Amino acid sequence: MNRQRAGERPPLAAIFGCEGTELTAWERDFLRSHNPLGFILFARNAASPSQVRELVDSLRETVGRESAPVLIDQEGGRVQRLKPPQWRRLPPAEPFGWLWNDAPEKACRAAWLHGYTIAGELSGLGIDVNCLPCLDLRVPGAHDIIGDRSFGADPRQVAQLGQAVCDGLLAGAVIPVVKHIPGHGRALVDSHESLPRVETSLAELETSDFLPFQSLAGAPWAMTAHVVYTAVDEEEPATTSLRVVQDIIRGKIGFDGLLLSDDISMKALKGDFASRTEKALAAGCDVVLHCNGERAEMEAVAAVAGPLSEAAFQRLEKSLQARGGDGLPFEEALNELGGLLP
């Protein structure tokens, strides 16, 4: 459905975080005024299930859209925003890779259950997008920012387990976000702190790092890598590189879902926040992600982001239609998962 014909106010091509466990008066006014596409939550925003549910409802109320996406990074292991004891402890990706080495079918079933049970917890809170799975390869000698967040070094293994997690999340009515396209596994530095440069040839990237993303080119959402791939673009990281987005992500990989930048407040990116936003959108990202809740940065992003494009809106609508309920009882799925993991 064309949003203009529907009479809707086009959302801003941005997703924002907030500072705490409830919205401030300034945040309410800012979000109501600028109408971002959606929101993202972190550990600082989560004190209890009832509080998170109230915060999610408040966020959607500011923009007047019950369908406004609410995102989180609920991977497991080191990256788990909803933490014990209020929420269950989740495993990282690595154990699923260990299981795949001995029993691929069991590993894929476990990965599906992992996605499905996470979706069950998130759906109860009103969170409908999870930044999972990581399709980055485990590369010896690379920085451990990926590390055990990866399913392994074999592209086929990563693709199969990643697909299973995506399918599980969708069966639980949560949209997956594959990351970090076109591959963060070779980075020698943490992109939160500085800009990684990958010197690997294009031929090698095409037969390794790119393959899991190519296998999951039909995923509804993907998140970019703040990584320079010198074989494609000597200067710009994927997030702000027209060559990487158009030639590799949309071209060779064939991804046609909603493309979300990684957090533009990370130190890998240079320049002020207006220029970061403009460059990411000009390169072909559909939406920019800003996570830290800093007022001045958010204002700078909102001033230049502009409305979501019609093509991006269609990708968003398609992603919403991909969700469906499996009907497997949550406790049954949880017990089955516990019996499969090593």
Side-chain angles (χ1 to χ4, degrees):
M1 180 172 64
N2 182 286
R3 65 177 182 229
Q4 279 77 21
R5 287 199 301 270
E8 296 180 2
R9 177 189 175 195
L12 193 73
I15 288 171
F16 288 119
C18 57
E19 285 186 333
T21 55
E22 59 183 33
L23 294 179
T24 65
W26 176 83
E27 286 171 335
R28 286 181 186 276
D29 289 344
F30 173 85
L31 297 173
R32 187 173 291 115
S33 173
H34 291 287
N35 188 33
L37 173 63
F39 314 96
I40 187 166
L41 302 183
F42 285 82
R44 66 178 184 268
N45 307 123
S48 71
S50 60
Q51 170 270 318
V52 171
R53 179 78 241 196
E54 290 178 8
L55 177 58
V56 167
D57 289 345
S58 295
L59 287 165
R60 290 192 170 119
E61 185 275 330
T62 64
V63 295
R65 284 181 284 113
E66 292 184 4
S67 63
V70 178
L71 288 66
I72 199 164
D73 291 284
Q74 191 73 349
E75 296 179 19
R78 292 175 290 143
V79 182
Q80 180 172 344
R81 311 307 188 194
L82 304 176
K83 301 178 183 295
Q86 297 281 6
W87 292 274
R88 65 191 174 95
R89 189 177 304 278
L90 301 171
E94 187 174 52
F96 299 93
W98 295 339
L99 182 59
W100 195 90
N101 291 331
D102 296 324
E105 289 186 6
K106 285 185 178 180
C108 288
R109 178 60 178 172
W112 186 94
L113 290 163
H114 182 56
Y116 185 75
T117 53
I118 291 174
E121 292 185 308
L122 297 183
S123 294
L125 302 170
I127 300 168
D128 58 355
V129 181
N130 192 14
C131 301
L132 179 71
C134 278
L135 299 184
D136 307 307
L137 301 184
R138 189 78 178 262
V139 178
H143 191 282
D144 65 0
I145 186 59
I146 299 301
D148 65 0
R149 298 167 66 193
S150 171
F151 291 115
D154 179 352
R156 177 170 166 265
Q157 170 184 330
V158 171
Q160 289 188 7
L161 292 172
Q163 183 68 66
V165 170
C166 285
D167 291 345
L169 285 166
L170 287 168
V174 169
I175 296 170
V177 183
V178 299
K179 61 188 186 184
H180 304 84
I181 197 168
H184 203 301
R186 295 180 188 272
L188 300 179
V189 296
D190 179 358
S191 56
H192 292 84
E193 301 299 330
S194 56
L195 178 61
R197 294 180 62 85
V198 169
E199 308 284 346
T200 308
S201 71
L202 183 59
E204 185 173 352
L205 291 170
E206 288 175 346
T207 57
S208 56
D209 303 56
F210 295 174
L211 286 182
F213 296 99
Q214 195 168 41
S215 294
L216 274 74
W221 289 38
M223 178 185 290
T224 61
H226 294 334
V227 175
V228 169
Y229 306 88
T230 59
V232 184
D233 189 327
E234 285 274 358
E235 301 296 330
E236 295 291 336
T239 302
T240 55
S241 170
L242 183 65
R243 292 177 191 167
V244 174
V245 172
Q246 299 302 324
D247 296 348
I248 304 301
I249 295 175
R250 298 296 193 193
K252 290 183 181 296
I253 289 173
F255 176 72
D256 191 37
L258 192 79
L259 188 61
L260 175 69
S261 79
D262 203 346
D263 181 11
I264 64 167
S265 63
M266 289 162 60
K267 295 178 182 177
L269 300 185
K270 306 301 180 186
D272 60 31
F273 283 85
S275 66
R276 295 182 191 195
T277 301
E278 289 173 329
K279 288 174 72 173
L281 294 172
C285 290
D286 292 315
V287 185
V288 292
L289 176 65
H290 183 274
C291 295
N292 64 26
E294 290 288 335
R295 177 172 178 170
E297 296 177 9
M298 293 167 68
E299 289 175 335
V301 171
V304 299
L308 194 70
S309 72
E310 188 61 37
F313 182 78
Q314 296 299 331
R315 291 173 181 135
L316 173 65
E317 289 289 289
K318 184 179 179 180
S319 75
L320 297 176
Q321 295 165 12
R323 297 175 298 180
D326 181 86
L328 180 65
F330 180 77
E331 289 299 327
E332 183 179 328
L334 197 57
N335 290 334
E336 185 182 352
L337 175 60
L340 287 172
L341 280 181

